[in-house]
Amino acid sequence: MTIEELDQQSSALKQQRDELEKKERALFLKSAQKNVGRCFIINDVTYVKVLNVPQVEWTMIGSYFNQYQYPAIYITQDEVPFEFKTFFSGAWGEGHASFNHYKEITQEEFNAKFDEVIKAFSNKIKGENNE
């Protein structure tokens, strides 16, 4: 067998693997939809809401997919109190456990905190003190 023949076999196997991963990912993403909208308080300080299912990241050599990373918005105590980053599903027991303390809350609780923080932030930007 030649190197060229091995490369052809390797390429065919990679294509089969990619197809299987694509099918498995599609099934997972359908089931992961149930987590969109879940809200939490982390360590009794930071509020977070899951905004979407995990995303596929494309690179020069293929794709990267972490089924435990969900896009989310965080309400923090920083000067700019909002941050968009990933949230790990370990918060609800899927994947690795975390050192943080998570408490699941309702969307109404999250929305009330969001409205409070957005109002305060808006007043700060506008230079108003009528909270």
Side-chain angles (χ1 to χ4, degrees):
M1 180 168 284
T2 66
I3 291 175
E4 187 175 283
E5 291 170 330
L6 284 173
D7 285 344
Q8 288 173 350
Q9 285 183 352
S10 177
S11 179
L13 288 172
K14 172 124 175 57
Q15 285 180 323
Q16 287 178 349
R17 179 186 174 90
D18 290 347
E19 284 301 313
L20 285 173
E21 284 179 349
K22 188 176 178 181
K23 288 176 185 176
E24 286 180 4
R25 189 167 41 233
L27 288 172
F28 170 79
L29 290 174
K30 187 175 182 180
S31 72
Q33 192 65 42
K34 70 183 180 289
N35 295 314
V36 174
R38 290 180 83 172
C39 302
F40 297 85
I41 298 176
I42 305 170
N43 299 330
D44 298 322
V45 176
T46 303
Y47 288 70
V48 63
K49 181 176 186 175
V50 175
L51 299 176
N52 204 345
V53 295
Q55 302 294 298
V56 177
E57 296 177 27
W58 294 97
T59 66
M60 294 287 289
I61 58 170
S63 63
Y64 171 76
F65 180 72
N66 186 333
Q67 71 184 40
Y68 304 110
Q69 290 181 288
Y70 286 73
I73 183 170
Y74 287 70
I75 301 173
T76 68
Q77 295 183 332
D78 297 336
E79 188 171 342
V80 176
F82 304 103
E83 186 175 3
F84 291 95
K85 61 183 184 178
T86 57
F87 185 67
F88 289 90
S89 61
W92 58 82
E94 293 177 13
H96 295 290
S98 172
F99 297 110
N100 295 313
H101 170 69
Y102 297 97
K103 177 184 171 197
E104 190 157 8
I105 60 173
T106 66
Q107 288 191 30
E108 290 76 19
E109 289 173 284
F110 178 88
N111 291 342
K113 183 65 173 180
F114 181 84
D115 290 344
E116 172 191 320
V117 171
I118 199 77
K119 181 179 179 184
F121 184 65
S122 177
N123 288 341
K124 181 179 178 181
I125 298 298
K126 294 175 184 177
E128 299 174 5
N129 289 325
N130 50 347
E131 296 182 33

